[in-house]
Amino acid sequence: MTSKDANPQAGKGIPLPKKETDLFRSVVKHYECKQYKKGIKSADAILKRFPKHGETLCMKGLILNCTGKREEAINMVKLGLMNDMRSHVCWHVYGLIYRSERNYNEAIKAYKQALRIDKENIQILKDLALLQIQMRDLEGFTQTQHLILELKPNLKVNWLAFALGKHMKGDCKGAVDVIDIFLSTLEQGSTDLQKSYETSELALYKNSILAESGRWNEALDHLIECKEKDIIVDNHSWLKMCGYYQLQLERYDQAKDAFLKLFERGSTEDYSVHTGYMLAILNISGDLSKRMMKSKGARALPSLMVLSEMQRSMLQKEYENNMLVQYPKSIATRRIIITLLDVESDEWKEEIQSYIQLNIKRGVPSLGDDLSALFLCCSPENGNEYYVAEDPVDVKGHQAFCNISKIVDDIIDSLENNSTFPNDEDIQPPSTLLWAWFLRSVLHEFAAEYREAIHFIDKCIDQTPTGVDLYELKGRLVKKAGDIAAAAECLDKGRDLDKQDRYINNMTTKYLLQADREKEALEKMALFTRHESDPEQNIFDMQVTWYELELAACYGRKKMYGKCLKKYMAVEKHFEDIHEDQFDFHSYCIRKVTLRAYVDVLRWEDAIWGQDTYVRAAEGIIKTYLHLHDNPTKSSEDDEIDYSSMTAAERKKAKAIARKKKLKEEKKILEEAKREDGDEAKSKTERKNLVKDQDPDGLELLKKPHLDEAKRYAATLVKNAANHLNTWLCQYDVCIRRGKALMAMRALFQALHLCRESKFIHHEIFKRIVDFQENGKLAEGSHPAVVEVFNMEKATLLGPTSKSLNAFILEWYEKVKANPPSALPLRVEVAKAMLRHNIGSPMDASKLIIENGLNVREVTLNNCVEALTVLKSIEGSEQHATEFAALAKKVYHLSSNF
């Protein structure tokens, strides 16, 4: 045997003998078919003769990685690569190993190295393209797809992937051109030109790109051309796109016809279609129509923007004379007519009474929420748009609420006395009265009148003690009235009535967690998990983020910070998994031509770290780490007994006690571990399937540098959730503790920018501005130019009219005092700042909190407790504290805090 035969390497141009070459092909085949044992056996047969064959070592390592032997696999792949660094197979496998570890940047480097050796390897190019779109290297993805297209121009999927790359990087014209060139290569009669789902989706995808680039005329012409060719399958989308484009082109009659055809197809309950129809009637186009059409939920144009009397009259006439006649059963049509009417008119009262009576007879629990959409107020930021009033101060003063409350009271009186509706002789069943009481209870809830609301819901339960919805509402009311423990018990009673109802079970669990009864909550959740596995693990596998967020908050309140961090980070892990899951769709969606939905998914994934659920989890992690930083716990060394001052006998006795204590703790840990393993109850199979958490209490998380971890999560929020106020509040809290005054100042400016259109400053921003003026300082030795800019911007932070911190506090004291409904938390923060800086008298600060009672905004149980604490701390304001406690007790009558 020659030296060459002793060490064949593909990269060096020395191939394996024929027998081993066939074996190597079988290794690849077994890997692709997931026959890992056979693959390892074939690889071992090659390595027995050629132990240094690089490609075989790499393939064996790749198979071992699939069987879970990660460390051995990595070592073997590295050994194979060292033996044959000129082999594209070795580099490709090396990239696959990195890809399996989600280290995509290193995997891309390995693939690119493989392509330097074999530039036209289609499989490596495809794998590289998948990683590039996953990492949003859009320029690289487009170039790679272009190479693939040049090598395989006869495959449709390559054309579509190249067009997608152009589209995603913003080259809309280039994407349309690529699709046009692909279509021009098809022969007459090709299946890709005939009516089918794929042909239809490709046509609509091209059309959406035209619209995205603002080429409305071309987009509309293209839609009409597609319809003439009879290739559109999704006619609903086609009509909606037609109507939208015609609005932008100010072809209002044609747009109106398109939306009418959508109604004929059954879209009478789609509020976005109603909005488009009304925009066409009123001849509204441009940016305003774009914004209105993007609105989601059960809000149409009259509840989104302020309309003139003439516009309302036009819409009312159209809907009453045409839409209601043509679609008399449409709920959305009736709701829109009610929204168009003047709240103070008799016609509105008649319509709303008829609407309420109809839904009470049907027994609709969500009627209260439906009616709350009528509490429309002009937006203070944009006077041409509406928002729905939610604060009790705004609700109680709203004319629609007052009228609806009076109508419901009249209905209840008539039903209680005569069993009929007002001005009606038909006898109603007892259930009608029940749902009237239910609605009245919900209306009292909107006005924060919890005592009265509980009175009505108790009447409902007395009449029908088997109604699950009744217990849900009562539980919510009892919680808002200040007794979360009683609320949990109430919901549990409702849960017992229908143990197959997952929703009521989940609500009970949520309330139990808020009552800090996490063990009972887990028992309730276990009713809907797989019984053969650990319920906690099953909940994690199902990504039940609401449960984990509530449990984390529960652990935080109980000062179990390790477990608290574990649960918050479980939510983070879910988002990482969701982000990784898109990997499976990159090739599938292009192959199946679901390109419109795929683009939506990619854009949604780009914003995933700004989702409210993730922001809440990250905020919880930051606050927990900051709390640990501010309140460091003693280490075991700090607690160690000082033996130096003891006698020999005392020292011996103390060491014996400490030893016994340590043994007792170790024994307890072992018993808990045994119990968790389930040695007594679980079978061998169950124990095998049980995933063991090496750090169930999160002790390792507590050992991490607290400020560094908080900084990492704050940076993630700043990058991905810049439109959330809490992002910048957390960023400030982290930076001020790190001594980064400039970054803290920037966070405050960003927070102010988010609230720039509001008349009043947010209380959390006010609190931090005061803190920054007191504690924000640059590091010693800073450059004079930096110091000058810092001092100038620090003064700018106070606003244009305030020259000092005292002037800033006094300015807001006067603003708050001049505006009776201004928020309670802001009043409290201004009062605290006044006390700390001796602005005005203590009684002025006390009166600022107490004046107007609870007829102010943002009144919650926690805010009232905070306000009472401040009042009690003010010398000489005992009377004010007593008065405030009495007012709070009247609203939160079940709370023990007053």
Side-chain angles (χ1 to χ4, degrees):
M1 184 181 291
T2 65
S3 60
K4 285 186 177 182
D5 293 334
N7 187 24
Q9 301 293 352
K12 296 177 182 177
I14 310 171
L16 285 167
K18 185 180 183 308
K19 180 183 176 183
E20 281 71 22
T21 300
D22 293 339
L23 279 172
F24 184 78
R25 289 198 187 99
S26 71
V27 172
V28 176
K29 184 179 178 182
H30 290 319
Y31 165 72
E32 290 172 347
C33 297
K34 298 185 179 181
Q35 297 173 338
Y36 299 133
K37 286 185 179 179
K38 291 181 180 179
I40 290 172
K41 186 177 179 181
S42 299
D44 286 339
I46 300 171
L47 294 174
K48 187 175 181 181
R49 184 175 176 189
F50 303 110
K52 292 185 178 180
H53 187 250
E55 292 184 351
T56 305
L57 286 167
C58 286
M59 283 305 302
K60 183 180 178 182
L62 186 59
I63 293 171
L64 287 172
N65 188 58
C66 295
T67 60
K69 298 177 181 178
R70 182 172 166 276
E71 293 297 329
E72 186 181 350
I74 291 171
N75 292 333
M76 190 159 288
V77 170
K78 286 182 177 179
L79 179 63
L81 185 61
M82 286 173 63
N83 281 300
D84 194 358
M85 296 195 73
R86 295 180 185 174
S87 167
H88 69 273
V89 172
C90 293
W91 282 106
H92 190 189
V93 170
Y94 194 50
L96 291 172
I97 291 291
Y98 272 124
R99 193 183 88 171
S100 69
E101 293 180 341
R102 297 182 178 181
N103 190 345
Y104 297 139
N105 287 320
E106 290 300 320
I108 288 172
K109 290 179 185 177
Y111 289 156
K112 286 182 176 178
Q113 185 63 37
L115 287 169
R116 287 193 184 99
I117 299 164
D118 187 0
K119 296 180 180 180
E120 298 185 355
N121 190 300
I122 289 289
Q123 188 55 52
I124 300 174
L125 283 167
K126 285 181 178 179
D127 287 345
L128 175 61
L130 288 177
L131 290 184
Q132 286 171 327
I133 190 64
Q134 177 76 7
M135 299 298 291
R136 299 299 188 272
D137 177 10
L138 299 176
E139 188 65 42
F141 173 76
T142 307
Q143 291 174 3
T144 304
Q145 289 296 348
H146 190 211
L147 286 172
I148 294 172
L149 180 60
E150 287 178 338
L151 294 170
K152 293 279 185 180
N154 58 327
L155 292 179
K156 173 183 177 181
V157 69
N158 295 340
W159 287 94
L160 299 187
F162 184 46
L164 179 83
K166 291 269 190 182
H167 178 206
M168 289 302 295
K169 73 171 190 172
D171 184 5
C172 292
K173 185 178 183 304
V176 171
D177 290 343
V178 171
I179 294 172
D180 287 339
I181 293 169
F182 163 69
L183 293 173
S184 68
T185 63
L186 300 174
E187 296 179 358
Q188 193 70 27
S190 170
T191 54
D192 289 324
L193 293 175
Q194 295 174 2
K195 187 174 183 177
S196 66
Y197 175 79
E198 290 187 3
T199 306
S200 172
E201 277 298 302
L202 180 57
L204 292 176
Y205 173 62
K206 174 189 171 182
N207 190 267
S208 68
I209 299 173
L210 288 169
E212 193 175 311
S213 59
R215 295 151 69 180
W216 305 112
N217 269 313
E218 286 184 58
L220 184 58
D221 291 342
H222 177 254
L223 277 180
I224 295 168
E225 181 187 344
C226 291
K227 195 67 175 177
E228 289 171 352
K229 291 180 179 178
D230 192 27
I231 59 172
I232 298 299
V233 174
D234 187 356
N235 287 301
H236 180 87
S237 293
W238 184 89
L239 278 169
K240 206 165 186 178
M241 292 163 91
C242 271
Y244 182 63
Y245 299 162
Q246 285 156 351
L247 271 180
Q248 301 310 313
L249 293 168
E250 299 182 1
R251 301 178 186 178
Y252 300 115
D253 290 338
Q254 294 176 19
K256 184 179 173 182
D257 291 340
F259 290 118
L260 281 172
K261 286 177 183 176
L262 282 167
F263 290 137
E264 291 170 8
R265 290 179 58 85
S267 296
T268 54
E269 306 307 313
D270 187 338
Y271 282 85
S272 66
V273 177
H274 280 285
T275 296
Y277 181 58
M278 287 185 272
L279 288 168
I281 293 170
L282 299 177
N283 295 355
I284 297 174
S285 62
D287 292 338
L288 181 60
S289 68
K290 289 180 188 177
R291 195 163 69 252
M292 294 297 111
M293 287 292 287
K294 287 179 181 177
S295 178
K296 296 179 181 179
R299 293 184 67 188
L301 187 66
S303 61
L304 292 171
M305 64 175 287
V306 178
L307 301 174
S308 66
E309 287 298 322
M310 187 176 71
Q311 288 174 324
R312 284 180 173 274
S313 178
M314 286 174 63
L315 294 177
Q316 184 182 342
K317 184 178 178 181
E318 176 67 27
Y319 268 75
E320 287 180 344
N321 297 342
N322 296 327
M323 290 294 293
L324 192 59
V325 173
Q326 196 168 356
Y327 308 105
K329 294 184 179 180
S330 171
I331 297 171
T333 301
R334 291 201 66 186
R335 280 287 283 101
I336 288 168
I337 291 172
I338 292 170
T339 310
L340 287 167
L341 294 170
D342 182 5
V343 176
E344 298 181 0
S345 68
D346 293 335
E347 191 180 356
W348 185 89
K349 292 173 184 176
E350 289 173 9
E351 283 289 337
I352 198 70
Q353 181 167 344
S354 173
Y355 186 78
I356 290 170
Q357 289 177 179
L358 176 65
N359 284 282
I360 285 175
K361 281 195 287 187
R362 290 175 175 174
V364 179
S366 61
L367 178 58
D369 291 327
D370 182 16
L371 294 174
S372 70
L374 296 172
F375 308 155
L376 299 173
C377 301
C378 287
S379 172
E381 292 86 11
N382 186 346
N384 294 322
E385 294 183 11
Y386 285 125
Y387 73 94
V388 177
E390 294 180 354
D391 196 285
V393 170
D394 297 326
V395 170
K396 283 188 284 189
H398 200 283
Q399 189 63 48
F401 173 79
C402 297
N403 290 344
I404 289 171
S405 297
K406 187 177 184 308
I407 289 168
V408 175
D409 286 337
D410 292 342
I411 290 172
I412 290 172
D413 288 341
S414 181
L415 288 170
E416 286 178 341
N417 295 326
N418 307 314
S419 297
T420 63
F421 285 122
N423 304 319
D424 191 5
E425 295 180 357
D426 294 338
I427 301 297
Q428 299 297 325
S431 62
T432 306
L433 178 58
L434 179 140
W435 291 110
W437 284 336
F438 187 93
L439 176 58
R440 193 64 185 96
S441 181
V442 173
L443 292 173
H444 278 303
E445 180 191 6
F446 291 153
E449 297 164 349
Y450 304 124
R451 191 189 298 272
E452 294 83 352
I454 292 171
H455 167 72
F456 276 103
I457 199 63
D458 280 340
K459 292 174 78 171
C460 294
I461 292 172
D462 290 341
Q463 189 199 89
T464 309
T466 55
V468 176
D469 291 316
L470 310 181
Y471 290 93
E472 183 200 342
L473 176 57
K474 183 176 179 181
R476 191 168 75 237
L477 293 169
V478 170
K479 173 193 168 185
K480 289 184 177 180
D483 192 347
I484 184 62
E489 293 297 333
C490 181
L491 271 174
D492 201 26
K493 286 181 184 177
R495 186 194 64 82
D496 284 335
L497 296 172
D498 188 357
K499 294 184 178 180
Q500 292 184 329
D501 188 333
R502 186 190 287 262
Y503 173 75
I504 193 69
N505 187 77
N506 287 351
M507 288 300 296
T508 306
T509 302
K510 184 176 180 179
Y511 277 38
L512 286 169
L513 289 172
Q514 291 174 358
D516 297 339
R517 292 154 62 181
E518 69 276 8
K519 290 182 180 177
E520 293 175 57
L522 181 59
E523 289 172 5
K524 299 293 184 288
M525 287 295 287
L527 297 172
F528 286 89
T529 60
R530 291 197 302 268
H531 295 292
E532 68 273 9
S533 63
D534 176 26
E536 282 275 15
Q537 183 62 38
N538 194 230
I539 289 166
F540 177 81
D541 293 339
M542 291 192 294
Q543 300 182 341
V544 189
T545 54
W546 68 263
Y547 173 82
E548 288 164 334
L549 288 172
E550 291 291 349
L551 184 56
C554 171
Y555 283 141
R557 289 190 296 271
K558 298 180 86 169
K559 302 189 187 321
M560 301 166 71
Y561 298 116
K563 288 186 174 182
C564 171
L565 289 169
K566 284 281 287 187
K567 290 302 168 188
Y568 279 132
M569 289 183 181
V571 176
E572 181 192 22
K573 178 66 167 60
H574 297 328
F575 275 83
E576 289 174 357
D577 291 340
I578 292 167
H579 188 259
E580 293 302 323
D581 287 344
Q582 66 175 305
F583 203 98
D584 300 328
F585 294 94
H586 295 317
S587 57
Y588 175 84
C589 289
I590 297 173
R591 192 171 70 251
K592 293 294 184 181
V593 203
T594 56
L595 297 172
R596 289 186 298 156
Y598 178 51
V599 169
D600 289 341
V601 167
L602 291 178
R603 288 172 176 169
W604 181 84
E605 289 279 2
D606 288 342
I608 192 173
W609 306 109
Q611 295 287 323
D612 290 344
T613 304
Y614 178 79
V615 171
R616 186 178 164 192
E619 186 185 349
I621 293 169
I622 293 167
K623 287 182 177 179
T624 303
Y625 273 123
L626 291 180
H627 176 81
L628 292 170
H629 171 77
D630 296 340
N631 304 278
T633 55
K634 290 184 178 180
S635 65
S636 57
E637 286 132 8
D638 295 332
D639 294 334
E640 195 174 338
I641 301 167
D642 183 14
Y643 296 112
S644 60
S645 59
M646 297 182 184
T647 63
E650 288 172 338
R651 189 159 51 247
K652 184 178 179 182
K653 185 178 179 181
K655 285 183 177 180
I657 291 170
R659 191 162 51 248
K660 283 181 182 178
K661 186 178 178 182
K662 187 177 179 183
L663 287 169
K664 190 176 179 181
E665 287 175 356
E666 289 176 354
K667 186 179 178 182
K668 186 179 177 182
I669 291 168
L670 285 170
E671 286 175 355
E672 285 180 0
K674 234 180 194 181
R675 190 163 59 250
E676 285 173 8
D677 286 344
D679 289 337
E680 296 175 4
K682 289 185 175 67
S683 65
K684 288 182 180 179
T685 309
E686 288 172 329
R687 286 202 301 273
K688 185 179 178 182
N689 294 332
L690 191 66
V691 179
K692 185 148 185 177
D693 190 349
Q694 299 299 321
D695 183 27
D697 295 328
L699 299 178
E700 293 301 317
L701 298 174
L702 296 177
K703 293 177 183 177
K704 292 184 177 182
H706 300 152
L707 269 186
D708 289 348
E709 289 298 299
K711 171 194 168 187
R712 183 165 66 88
Y713 283 96
T716 302
L717 291 182
V718 166
K719 181 180 178 182
N720 300 285
N723 59 335
H724 285 71
L725 176 61
N726 286 348
T727 293
W728 299 106
L729 299 180
C730 288
Q731 173 74 343
Y732 172 83
D733 292 342
V734 172
C735 292
I736 203 70
R737 286 168 174 80
R738 292 177 58 228
K740 304 292 184 181
L742 285 171
M743 293 177 69
M745 181 190 288
R746 177 177 177 267
L748 289 177
F749 276 116
Q750 291 288 347
L752 285 169
H753 180 72
L754 288 178
C755 304
R756 63 191 179 280
E757 293 181 348
S758 176
K759 292 180 181 178
F760 281 83
I761 192 170
H762 193 279
H763 66 278
E764 291 288 355
I765 302 176
F766 177 87
K767 174 183 174 182
R768 283 164 177 78
I769 288 177
V770 173
D771 176 72
F772 185 73
Q773 297 294 328
E774 294 170 346
N775 304 311
K777 297 175 183 177
L778 288 172
E780 290 185 12
S782 297
H783 193 280
V786 175
V787 174
E788 183 182 353
V789 172
F790 175 77
N791 290 332
M792 183 174 65
E793 292 301 317
K794 191 175 181 180
T796 305
L797 202 58
L798 296 173
T801 57
S802 300
K803 302 296 183 182
S804 65
L805 177 57
N806 283 10
F808 174 75
I809 296 169
L810 185 60
E811 178 189 351
W812 278 106
Y813 165 72
E814 291 169 352
K815 282 184 179 180
V816 169
K817 192 173 178 62
N819 188 278
S822 54
L824 178 61
L826 180 58
R827 290 172 175 272
V828 172
E829 289 301 331
V830 172
K832 285 161 71 174
M834 290 171 66
L835 292 169
R836 197 158 61 247
H837 290 271
N838 297 318
I839 297 171
S841 67
M843 290 307 292
D844 288 335
S846 178
K847 285 178 182 176
L848 187 66
I849 297 173
I850 193 69
E851 66 183 357
N852 303 312
L854 296 184
N855 295 318
V856 293
R857 292 191 175 91
E858 297 183 35
V859 174
T860 64
L861 177 59
N862 290 336
N863 289 342
C864 287
V865 171
E866 174 68 14
L868 184 59
T869 304
V870 174
L871 286 170
K872 287 180 177 178
S873 69
I874 301 173
E875 188 176 349
S877 66
E878 293 80 7
Q879 181 64 31
H880 284 169
T882 304
E883 289 175 12
F884 187 86
L887 289 171
K889 187 67 176 177
K890 189 176 179 181
V891 177
Y892 306 104
H893 63 285
L894 298 180
S895 174
S896 58
N897 293 299
F898 309 108

